[in-house]
Amino acid sequence: MSQSANDVVIQAKGLTKKYKDFVAVDGIDFEVKRGESFGLLGPNGAGKSTTMKMISSVSQRTSGELKILGKEPNTHGPEIRAHLGVVPQKDLLDRELKVWENIFTYGRYFGLSRKFLKGKVDELLEFAQLTEKRNAKADDLSGGMQRRLAIARGLVNEPEILLLDEPTTGLDPQARHVLWDRLFRLKEQGVTLVITTHYMDEAEQLCDRLIVMDNGKIMAEGSPAELIKQYSSKEVVEVRFGTDKNEKTAEKLAGLADRIEVLPDRILLYTAKGEELLAQILESGLHPVTSLVRRSSLEDVFLRLTGRTLVD
Amino acid sequence: MSDLNFKPGQAVDPQKAIRWGSLRVAEYRIYSMSKWMGSVIAYGLGNPVLYLVSIGLGIGALVDANSAGQSVLGVSYLQFVAPALLAAAAIQGVMDEVTFPTMDGFIWDKLFYAINATSVSSYQIANGVMLAALARGMFTVSLYLGVLVAFAAIPISSVLPLLLSSMFAAWAWSTVMLAVTARLERDEGYFAIIGRFVIAPMFLFSGTFYPLQLMPIYLQPIGWISPFWHSAELGRTLSYGAAMEPAMFLVHIGYLLFLVVVGLAFAYPKFKQRLAK
Ligand SMILES: Nc1ncnc2c1ncn2[C@@H]1O[C@H](COP(=O)(O)OP(=O)(O)O)[C@@H](O)[C@H]1O
Ligand SMILES: [Mg+2]
C-alpha cells in the first residue's frame, strides 16, 4: 500500500442506508485522506453512527459506493477490519474481564501473538493512563476510564484508521480534555482519525476537516475555519432580554447585524465587529439582561444551515 | 504519560488473522469459561456421582437382581443407561455454553458486535461459540466417564466409544441451540422453557432408562426426533456391542449430522444478518 500523504483511505459515493423504509443515511459523498482527522458533526439521529458502522465494514450499505483502504467492504470486510480500530458509541467491553484482559483477548482476534500482546498491553495501558487499573474489572471503571479502555482496545492492532463514535459523550470536562490529548498524540503518530460528535467544540478541536450532517444528508463540508468563514460572520453578539421579550426586541435590532437568529433564550447577532455592534445596541437605549461577544463557532454554522441548535 | 510508537497498519497479517478466526473466538470463550472452573468441575462431578448412587445402588440393583444376569439388556443396568446419561451430560454442557454467550453476544453486552469489528467474521463467531461449547461438553463428559470408570460402572474400553457417541449428541444440540438463540430478540425465559418442556421430556422419553421399544408406539416418535436416543443407541452399540442393524447405525449418525447441518444452516445467516444490520 502506498504511503503517500495524499492517498485516500475512505471513499464514499452516494452512500445510503435504509432501515426498512426509513432512510438513515441518504446518499452522502465524502473522502478521507491518510493521516487526516475527519469529523462527522451532527445532532442525534443525523445518521453518524450508521455511517460509522458502514465505514467499519460491518453494517451493509443499502446502495452507493464505499471503498475502505482501497477495498470493497462487502467482499473484503475481514481484511479491511484487520487494519481498522473501532471505538463504538457504546463501549462494548467485556465487563467480566479485567482491564488488561479486555485488550489482550481483543488482540488475539487479530491473530497477534501472546508475546507481542504482552508488551502491547502494557504500552496501551500506559497510553490510556490505566496502568493502575490493569487488574480491575472493566465493569468497575468510571465512564471516562471505560472510554479510554475502549480506545486502547481499538488500538491493539496498530490500525491505519481509528473510528471513534462520540468519544466524549457522557464524560466530564476534565475527562474530555484527557481524551482529546490522547487523540492528538495518535494523530501525530500518523493514525487517520474519523470522529463523530455532536459537540461543536470537539469538532473544532479535533478535526482537520468535517462534514456537517442532518437527517442523513451532508449539509456542508470543509475545515472548521472554512465552514465558519463560509456560513457565519467573524463574530457573534449574544444578548438576552428575558424569555418573553427576546422576540419583540429582535425586531428593533433588525438591520444592525448581517444576520439575526432568535432562540428561545437569547438573540444572536452576526457581524464582523462584535464590540462595535454591542455598543450600538446599548446606545440605542436597549438594555439586555446579559450580553457577550464571541467568535463564531460551528454551532453557528449548524444553526445557519438547519435553523436548529446542535444540542438541545 | 507515554506515547505509543507504531507504524499504522504493520502489526497484523490479515491472512493469518482470518484463517484462525474461529479458534480465536473459541479461545476467548474458553478463557472466559475458565473463570468458572470451580463450578464447572463441581457440576461435572456432582451429577454423575448422584446418578451413580441413585441408579447404581438403587434402580440398577433392583433391575439387575430381578433379571438375574439374564436381562433383556444383556449387560448391567448401569452399562445400559451410561450412554444416555453421558448424552444428557454432554447436551447440558453445551446448552449453557451456547445459549448464554449468544444472548450476551447479541443482546446483553453485545460482545459479538465488538468481536465482529475485528477481522473475525460472523460465521467464525458462530463457530467459535460452538467449538468452545463442545470443549466444555467434552470436559464434562470426560469427568463423567472418569467417575464411571472409577466406580467400575463401565469397563475402560467403553470410554472412547462413549465419548464419541455423546459428543455427536453435543454437536447436534449445540448447533440447534445456536440457531434458536440467534433468533431471540429478547430474553424472555426461553431457556427455562426449553429445559423444562423440550430437554426434560426428550431425556425421559428417549429410551434413557429402558429400551425405547417398550414405550407405546405413539410415544416413540419423541425418541426418534431426540438426539438423546440416537446418541444413546450409538453408544450402546459402540461400547458393549448392543445388536443393531447396520442401516440403523447409519440412521443414528445420519440424523445427528443432519441436525448439525440444519442448525448451522439456520445459525450462520442469522448471525450474519444480525451483525450486518
Ligand atoms: N437498527 C436500526 N433500525 C432502525 N432504525 C435505526 C437503526 N439504527 C439507527 N436507526 C435510525 O437511524 C437514524 C440515524 O441514527 P444514528 O446513525 O444512530 O444517528 P446518530 O449517530 O447521528 O445519532 C435515527 O433516526 C435512528 O433512529
Ligand atoms: Mg450515534
Side-chain angles (χ1 to χ4, degrees):
Chain A
M1 202 165 292
S2 110
Q3 293 289 327
S4 95
N6 271 339
D7 60 358
V8 172
V9 290
I10 301 174
Q11 191 171 33
K13 271 193 208 133
L15 184 62
T16 301
K17 177 77 179 184
K18 292 184 189 167
Y19 293 112
K20 303 228 169 73
D21 288 336
F22 179 77
V23 187
V25 175
D26 194 357
I28 62 174
D29 298 355
F30 62 89
E31 283 186 351
V32 180
K33 296 196 182 75
R34 186 180 301 280
E36 98 178 307
S37 168
F38 184 82
L40 285 74
L41 175 70
N44 277 330
K48 304 183 298 294
S49 292
T50 306
T51 306
M52 277 303 230
K53 285 182 199 162
M54 290 190 281
I55 297 174
S56 55
S57 303
V58 286
S59 175
Q60 299 245 348
R61 63 189 187 268
T62 311
S63 63
E65 287 170 39
L66 185 62
K67 282 261 164 65
I68 313 291
L69 297 167
K71 299 199 176 87
E72 159 62 57
N74 283 347
T75 51
H76 293 73
E79 266 168 76
I80 298 170
R81 297 198 300 266
H83 296 304
L84 299 183
V86 178
V87 184
Q89 186 165 2
K90 300 201 176 85
D91 297 323
L92 307 182
L93 300 168
D94 190 327
R95 299 183 296 129
E96 292 299 318
L97 293 186
K98 291 175 183 165
V99 166
W100 75 267
E101 291 171 328
N102 263 283
I103 303 174
F104 191 92
T105 54
Y106 212 68
R108 294 291 289 160
Y109 295 133
F110 291 101
L112 297 168
S113 73
R114 291 164 190 282
K115 187 161 165 274
F116 173 86
L117 284 170
K118 261 194 155 152
K120 194 75 202 168
V121 165
D122 291 341
E123 199 182 309
L124 286 168
L125 287 175
E126 195 66 27
F127 174 76
Q129 295 171 285
L130 288 169
T131 304
E132 270 98 79
K133 294 285 178 184
R134 96 178 259 128
N135 289 317
K137 264 196 186 181
D139 207 17
D140 297 334
L141 299 183
S142 71
M145 288 177 182
Q146 289 192 354
R147 191 63 45 83
R148 294 208 300 276
L149 175 55
I151 292 175
R153 187 183 67 172
L155 287 166
V156 73
N157 60 327
E158 304 192 341
E160 293 187 56
I161 310 175
L162 185 65
L163 306 170
L164 301 129
D165 196 357
E166 309 242 0
T168 66
T169 297
L171 303 190
D172 60 57
Q174 203 209 326
R176 293 181 77 198
H177 283 280
V178 172
L179 222 140
W180 285 352
D181 169 68
R182 306 286 86 186
L183 296 178
F184 273 127
R185 283 158 195 264
L186 284 174
K187 189 168 144 36
E188 283 168 2
Q189 198 71 47
V191 180
T192 308
L193 300 178
V194 180
I195 300 162
T196 78
T197 181
H198 64 263
Y199 297 121
M200 49 94 189
D201 53 341
E202 184 158 280
E204 281 185 38
Q205 286 279 333
L206 291 180
C207 301
D208 302 327
R209 213 157 55 78
L210 55 97
I211 53 178
V212 180
M213 285 185 77
D214 193 30
N215 291 322
K217 293 201 174 70
I218 295 179
M219 311 299 290
E221 179 185 343
S223 69
E226 281 165 6
L227 287 169
I228 290 166
K229 196 168 170 206
Q230 187 174 353
Y231 295 100
S232 191
S233 56
K234 199 163 164 223
E235 298 189 331
V236 188
V237 180
E238 290 199 13
V239 283
R240 294 169 202 256
F241 292 94
T243 315
D244 20 323
K245 291 190 199 129
N246 282 338
E247 191 82 40
K248 269 235 150 101
T249 319
E251 289 166 19
K252 296 182 197 159
L253 295 171
L256 289 180
D258 302 344
R259 195 165 63 83
I260 293 189
E261 292 277 359
V262 187
L263 301 181
D265 61 334
R266 62 198 194 272
I267 303 172
L268 306 180
L269 298 115
Y270 292 91
T271 178
K273 297 188 172 146
E275 292 297 346
E276 283 179 23
L277 177 60
L278 184 57
Q280 249 180 303
I281 293 172
L282 297 175
E283 272 166 33
S284 71
L286 290 168
H287 299 288
V289 183
T290 64
S291 63
L292 97 108
V293 177
R294 60 168 174 82
R295 283 191 316 119
S296 254
S297 73
L298 287 173
E299 180 77 55
D300 302 297
V301 172
F302 188 78
L303 188 61
R304 168 74 183 279
L305 290 167
T306 66
R308 290 181 291 119
T309 49
L310 264 171
V311 191
D312 22 43
Chain B
M1 248 193 234
S2 86
D3 277 340
L4 290 176
N5 238 321
F6 67 84
K7 240 181 142 208
Q10 304 293 305
V12 175
D13 171 358
Q15 296 316 321
K16 184 179 158 219
I18 290 164
R19 198 167 320 128
W20 301 109
S22 301
L23 287 182
R24 295 295 171 237
V25 176
E27 173 188 320
Y28 156 78
R29 283 295 322 135
I30 291 169
Y31 185 78
S32 296
M33 238 183 259
S34 69
K35 305 218 152 186
W36 308 96
M37 209 51 181
S39 37
V40 169
I41 292 177
Y43 198 72
L45 285 178
N47 253 351
V49 169
L50 281 179
Y51 270 104
L52 263 180
V53 172
S54 151
I55 293 176
L57 303 181
I59 307 170
L62 184 72
V63 172
D64 291 343
N66 280 310
S67 50
Q70 295 296 310
S71 72
V72 280
L73 305 172
V75 286
S76 77
Y77 186 64
L78 260 175
Q79 270 224 281
F80 174 79
V81 289
L85 295 181
L86 287 162
I91 281 175
Q92 195 56 55
V94 297
M95 176 86 180
D96 290 349
E97 293 305 337
V98 166
T99 52
F100 289 106
T102 306
M103 290 302 282
D104 208 28
F106 282 124
I107 298 169
W108 299 328
D109 283 350
K110 298 188 184 290
L111 289 174
F112 287 171
Y113 293 89
I115 300 172
N116 193 220
T118 71
S119 43
V120 173
S121 66
S122 58
Y123 84 92
Q124 289 178 327
I125 297 176
N127 282 345
V129 171
M130 176 189 79
L131 287 174
L134 289 179
R136 160 81 188 268
M138 192 137 143
F139 184 73
T140 305
V141 167
S142 302
L143 284 178
Y144 213 131
L145 282 165
V147 173
L148 289 173
V149 170
F151 283 76
I154 57 166
I156 202 150
S157 60
S158 294
V159 166
L160 274 182
L162 289 177
L163 184 63
L164 192 69
S165 65
S166 52
M167 287 315 291
F168 262 109
W171 196 17
W173 193 250
S174 69
T175 64
V176 168
M177 285 318 297
L178 203 58
V180 170
T181 316
R183 305 187 79 77
L184 300 181
E185 299 288 345
R186 276 176 302 279
D187 174 22
E188 289 177 337
Y190 287 105
F191 303 123
I193 294 173
I194 290 173
R196 216 157 291 161
F197 295 102
V198 180
I199 296 189
M202 280 201 314
F203 178 61
L204 293 171
F205 292 91
S206 296
T208 305
F209 298 107
Y210 39 83
L212 186 65
Q213 293 79 353
L214 296 185
M215 294 281 269
I217 185 72
Y218 57 87
L219 283 178
Q220 289 189 23
I222 299 180
W224 300 341
I225 58 165
S226 144
F228 286 96
W229 182 62
H230 295 278
S231 164
E233 289 295 288
L234 272 180
R236 283 165 188 151
T237 295
L238 291 173
S239 66
Y240 62 82
M244 180 184 291
E245 303 272 334
M248 279 312 288
F249 189 78
L250 292 180
V251 166
H252 292 312
I253 291 194
Y255 180 74
L256 293 170
L257 289 178
F258 168 75
L259 287 185
V260 169
V261 171
V262 170
L264 290 178
F266 279 95
Y268 285 154
K270 199 68 200 172
F271 267 69
K272 180 164 183 179
Q273 182 215 339
R274 279 187 96 153
L275 290 167
K277 236 184 188 165

